[in-house]
Amino acid sequence: MDLLPDVWRQDYWLPPGVIWTDMEQLADSERPRPQDLLITLPLALGFVALRCAFERFLAPPMGRCLGVKNRLQVTAAPSPQLESFYTQSSKQPTQSEVVSLMQSCGKTQRQIETWFRLRRNQDRPGQTKKFAEAAWRFFFYLTAFVAGLACLMDRSWFWDHRDCWRQYPVQPMERAHFWYYMLELGFYGSLLLRISVDIKRKVNFVIHQDFKEQVIHHLATIFLLSFSYCANYIRIGTLVMLLHDSSDILLESAKMFNYGAGWRKTCDSLFVVFAVVFLVTRLVIFPTKILRTTLLLSMEVFQPFPGYYFFNILLMVLQVLHVFWAGLILRMVYKFLKGKLEKDERSDEESGAEEEEEEKGDESIDQDCYWEKSKETLNSKLSMLTNSCVLNNLTNHRSSVANRIRKAQ
């Protein structure tokens, strides 16, 4: 029973010499309270509903403007036994299961493996779904960045980071910053609610590796924002949110153009700009400005305490993820500069194995197209050859008739 009160001990959350009653100097609307975080739950559900409406009504016309189309897929032939095994047992049967299916279905191993490959490809998200997800995130990050910049540019701590700690923790909270926090928390909460149905990501052909980093990132962000709100680290927290949203806008916009047709140069240009902004904001500004402010400048005002250590640990977890993603981006930039960047390594793919399946399917489609074109070319050449032969015969016949007439004369 005493565990919950111990969690809120003032020496955990507040600097030495500061007690909770000191916070009561602020009005209720200016003082962050833990129960305020409950509003993020309906906000997260609201974001999920808003996203569904956005992907249903706004994303499709936007995709058509950019030429987003789903790839042509060959559907698997109807097979009740294989379909039952696919839906109830496994989407990727083992070798022994394939042998069992061969006996029950009367098909060869190659036919069964091909059927499962085509059937898995049918469940893959199309380009339009990937575009809709990227467009939704772009819309939110752009709105959040513009709104955040508007409510922070005229604040003193935006330019002088020492003001983030002056009179801490007795700092009044503005309503604009309250809603900035709640909306960001609600958005990341909605991402967690949808993470099981969203498009999985893969990196470096390792299945779901980046998916795990995304979960860690969302959880760390939610914990960071929640703790910083309760401990009234709102000033530095708003700067962290603004910094992260700035590069996310460019990433999602590059994805949007990547899914379109005929926008390769635009996509490449946005990717280059994104890479520069990401590396500058996450590897330069974040450690030299944000971490320096929380680790060093804050100690000019108070001595370290448990909340200080916890807050900085969360920030450093984010920094580790920044380094992880920066390594991937630098590798992509290296390939791009060498002219070998064939595909965005952070593009939304279900898995490396399924990517190979799609490529196989594309190869078979390309082969069909190739043979169709070859047949058309062959027919065209045969037609030209036939016409040429007919013309030659007519010409020879005409010249022979003319010779006979001359001889008769």
Side-chain angles (χ1 to χ4, degrees):
M1 297 295 293
D2 295 335
L3 180 60
L4 187 59
D6 285 345
V7 172
W8 297 105
R9 283 177 52 179
Q10 55 198 19
D11 54 340
Y12 290 167
W13 293 81
L14 301 175
V18 181
I19 58 178
W20 286 117
T21 54
D22 294 336
M23 299 291 294
E24 296 178 359
Q25 301 176 25
L26 302 173
D28 290 342
S29 61
E30 297 178 343
R31 184 173 72 249
R33 295 172 298 178
Q35 57 266 32
D36 295 339
L37 298 177
L38 295 176
I39 197 176
T40 60
L41 297 177
L43 284 175
L45 295 175
F47 273 120
V48 172
L50 184 61
R51 174 177 174 177
C52 291
F54 179 90
E55 293 182 352
R56 181 179 179 87
F57 298 108
L58 295 180
M62 293 171 59
R64 286 192 293 268
C65 292
L66 295 181
V68 179
K69 296 180 180 179
N70 289 327
R71 295 179 180 178
L72 179 64
Q73 290 185 346
V74 180
T75 58
S79 177
Q81 291 179 319
L82 295 180
E83 183 67 28
S84 175
F85 184 90
Y86 179 86
T87 55
Q88 299 178 9
S89 299
S90 173
K91 296 182 179 181
Q92 293 183 332
T94 62
Q95 186 65 31
S96 60
E97 291 171 338
V98 170
V99 173
S100 177
L101 290 172
M102 289 169 57
Q103 297 173 352
S104 61
C105 298
K107 296 179 181 293
T108 65
Q109 178 178 349
R110 182 175 180 82
Q111 288 175 329
I112 291 177
E113 291 175 348
T114 301
W115 189 93
F116 275 93
R117 174 174 58 82
L118 295 177
R119 185 63 181 84
R120 285 192 296 269
N121 283 341
Q122 287 179 222
D123 291 343
R124 286 176 53 80
Q127 295 289 89
T128 53
K129 178 175 175 57
K130 297 176 184 179
F131 174 84
E133 180 180 322
W136 164 249
R137 297 192 184 204
F138 168 79
F139 173 78
F140 175 81
Y141 290 136
L142 179 62
T143 304
F145 178 78
V146 173
L149 189 64
C151 68
L152 289 176
M153 281 195 65
D154 59 346
R155 301 301 183 270
S156 60
W157 68 84
F158 183 81
W159 307 101
D160 184 3
H161 295 162
R162 281 185 169 83
D163 282 352
C164 292
W165 309 111
R166 290 193 176 100
Q167 298 180 349
Y168 176 84
V170 187
Q171 296 173 333
M173 175 185 63
E174 300 181 26
R175 297 308 294 174
H177 302 152
F178 167 81
W179 284 111
Y180 188 24
Y181 250 82
M182 295 301 109
L183 291 174
E184 288 273 356
L185 275 169
F187 176 74
Y188 282 104
S190 70
L191 293 184
L192 276 181
L193 293 176
R194 294 259 315 182
I195 202 165
S196 61
V197 296
D198 276 345
I199 300 167
K200 305 297 187 301
R201 300 173 186 265
K202 60 95 186 171
V203 172
N204 198 23
F205 307 105
V206 179
I207 300 175
H208 294 177
Q209 179 179 346
D210 194 30
F211 173 77
K212 296 177 182 178
E213 273 74 20
Q214 283 290 329
V215 174
I216 295 173
H217 174 269
H218 295 339
L219 289 175
T221 302
I222 290 174
F223 280 128
L224 172 63
L225 293 178
S226 300
F227 176 80
S228 63
Y229 179 83
C230 294
N232 205 15
Y233 289 127
I234 291 177
R235 294 186 177 182
I236 194 67
T238 53
L239 298 180
V240 173
M241 292 188 295
L242 188 69
L243 191 70
H244 281 71
D245 291 340
S246 61
S247 59
D248 290 337
I249 298 171
L250 297 168
L251 173 62
E252 301 304 332
S253 62
K255 287 183 183 179
M256 290 168 59
F257 285 101
N258 182 48
Y259 300 138
W263 299 94
R264 173 53 52 189
K265 291 184 177 179
T266 304
C267 174
D268 291 343
S269 300
L270 285 171
F271 169 73
V272 171
V273 176
F274 157 73
V276 173
V277 172
F278 184 95
L279 295 175
V280 171
T281 56
R282 308 293 179 92
L283 298 187
V284 179
I285 297 178
F286 189 85
T288 61
K289 299 295 184 179
I290 303 298
L291 286 179
R292 178 177 175 271
T293 299
T294 58
L295 287 170
L296 302 178
L297 298 184
S298 61
M299 295 179 65
E300 297 177 359
V301 179
F302 53 78
Q303 295 297 316
F305 60 102
Y308 162 88
Y309 293 113
F310 185 68
F311 183 62
N312 282 286
I313 287 173
L314 291 177
L315 289 177
M316 285 186 281
V317 169
L318 286 182
Q319 183 59 27
V320 170
L321 291 172
H322 295 164
V323 174
F324 170 79
W325 284 317
L328 297 175
I329 292 171
L330 288 174
R331 191 153 56 103
M332 293 163 62
V333 170
Y334 174 74
K335 291 181 180 181
F336 178 78
L337 295 177
K338 289 183 66 175
K340 296 182 180 180
L341 183 63
E342 298 176 355
K343 197 171 189 179
D344 180 7
E345 291 189 57
R346 287 190 53 82
S347 64
D348 302 316
E349 300 288 349
E350 187 176 0
S351 68
E354 293 187 352
E355 179 181 315
E356 294 176 359
E357 292 169 0
E358 184 180 15
E359 290 174 355
K360 290 179 182 177
D362 291 344
E363 288 175 1
S364 62
I365 295 172
D366 291 341
Q367 288 176 357
D368 294 339
C369 296
Y370 171 77
W371 285 113
E372 290 295 330
K373 292 179 180 177
S374 298
K375 287 166 63 179
E376 292 177 1
T377 304
L378 182 60
N379 291 335
S380 177
K381 291 183 177 179
L382 287 174
S383 177
M384 292 173 61
L385 181 60
T386 302
N387 292 336
S388 177
C389 291
V390 171
L391 290 175
N392 289 336
N393 289 335
L394 288 175
T395 302
N396 293 335
H397 180 70
R398 186 180 298 174
S399 61
S400 63
V401 171
N403 290 333
R404 290 176 184 176
I405 293 174
R406 283 198 297 268
K407 290 179 180 179
Q409 291 177 351

